[in-house]
């Protein structure tokens, strides 16, 4: 018993004194050694302006395939966030093989229908709906400053069958009223947890 008390006392003293004492001589030596590695303010400003220019170039040189790949990847991320770890653990593989290719095809059609020359104005909105809300993400046109399509997942409880996740989207061309089916994933007979749980 005394041995355990000593070990606990040593551990507590170590935790309590952690970071309280820092030898100042070592700090001065380290600062002098790194003096040559510090960039001047002009170097930092030049690097920032170069990176901003690179961002502008990347933003305005969007090819159709590149933009569709980026939108699909962002859509996948938002959907996994929407699922939350409890649901994603069970349905992520089926989502990737069945639903995601359909979402990519829909995004490709939407982009092709709304773009003349520049593909870089499309984006995916973040913040999927929590709890029992349906919203996963919206496809947004920054040039027109409006949503082009909204992607949702609805929980369907079919008697004697169980619970399904129904993926669908709405388009701005019909006022977001019409349901366009993407596909569905079977959950279980038990009620699924809330989104993002």
């Amino acid at each position: 018993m005394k041995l355990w008390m000593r070990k606990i006392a040593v551990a507590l003293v170590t935790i309590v004194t952690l970071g309280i004492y820092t030898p100042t001589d070592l700090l001065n030596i380290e600062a002098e050694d790194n003096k040559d590695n510090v960039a001047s303010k002009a170097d930092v400003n030049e690097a920032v302006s170069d990176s901003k220019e690179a961002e502008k170039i990347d933003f305005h040189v969007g090819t159709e395939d590149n933009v569709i790949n980026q939108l699909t990847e962002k859509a996948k991320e938002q959907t996994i966030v929407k699922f939350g770890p409890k649901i994603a653990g069970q349905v992520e593989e089926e989502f990737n093989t069945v639903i995601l290719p359909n979402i990519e095809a829909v995004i490709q059609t939407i982009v092709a229908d709304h773009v003349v020359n520049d593909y870089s104005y499309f984006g995916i909105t973040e913040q999927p709906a929590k709890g029992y809300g349906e919203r996963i993400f919206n496809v947004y046109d920054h040039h027109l400053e409006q949503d082009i399509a909204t992607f949702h997942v609805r929980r369907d409880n079919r008697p004697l069958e169980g619970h399904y996740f129904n993926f669908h989207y709405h388009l701005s061309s019909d006022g977001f009223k019409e349901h366009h089916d993407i596909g569905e994933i079977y959950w279980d007979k038990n009620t699924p947890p809330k989104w993002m749980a």
Side-chain angles (χ1 to χ4, degrees):
M1 186 74 171
K2 289 182 182 180
L3 182 61
W4 284 103
M5 295 293 271
R6 285 185 202 158
K7 287 184 179 182
I8 291 173
V10 169
L12 288 174
V13 169
T14 303
I15 291 171
V16 169
T17 60
L18 184 67
I20 291 177
Y21 174 71
T22 306
T24 56
D25 293 339
L26 291 177
L27 291 176
N28 291 337
I29 292 170
E30 196 173 304
E32 287 176 13
D33 289 344
N34 291 332
K35 190 183 269 186
D36 296 333
N37 295 336
V38 176
S40 69
K41 192 172 185 177
D43 293 339
V44 171
N45 290 338
E46 184 178 322
V48 168
S49 66
D50 289 345
S51 68
K52 284 183 180 177
E53 190 64 33
E55 287 176 16
K56 287 179 185 175
I57 292 171
D58 289 342
F59 181 76
H60 291 294
V61 182
T63 64
E64 182 178 10
D65 291 337
N66 189 19
V67 169
I68 290 171
N69 289 339
Q70 289 175 1
L71 291 175
T72 303
E73 190 60 36
K74 188 70 173 173
K76 178 182 177 182
E77 289 173 18
Q78 290 297 7
T79 306
I80 298 302
V81 168
K82 169 82 171 171
F83 286 156
K86 290 181 180 178
I87 295 175
Q90 291 188 20
V91 301
E92 185 173 5
E93 186 176 323
E94 189 173 357
F95 170 77
N96 288 335
T97 57
V98 176
I99 304 298
L100 190 61
N102 294 341
I103 289 176
E104 183 174 13
V106 170
I107 289 174
Q108 190 170 12
T109 303
I110 290 169
V111 169
D113 289 348
H114 289 87
V115 171
V116 178
N117 292 326
D118 193 357
Y119 297 94
S120 62
Y121 288 106
F122 285 92
I124 298 285
T125 60
E126 298 184 7
Q127 301 171 349
K130 296 180 181 180
Y132 296 108
E134 292 186 3
R135 183 184 70 246
I136 306 173
F137 63 88
N138 299 346
V139 176
Y140 186 79
D141 185 340
H142 294 284
H143 186 66
L144 298 175
E145 296 182 358
Q146 67 181 15
D147 289 328
I148 301 298
T150 60
F151 286 76
H152 294 166
V153 58
R154 182 181 63 230
R155 301 157 167 261
D156 289 339
N157 182 8
R158 299 179 188 159
L160 303 175
E161 287 185 44
H163 295 270
Y164 287 83
F165 298 138
N166 175 278
F167 294 84
H168 59 277
Y169 65 99
H170 306 273
L171 295 172
S172 62
S173 58
D174 62 12
F176 301 107
K177 293 179 183 173
E178 181 101 15
H179 273 69
H180 303 277
D181 285 328
I182 296 173
E184 60 186 20
I185 297 176
Y186 176 73
W187 169 255
D188 198 336
K189 291 199 176 199
N190 297 325
T191 304
K194 292 182 179 179
W195 300 122
M196 302 173 98

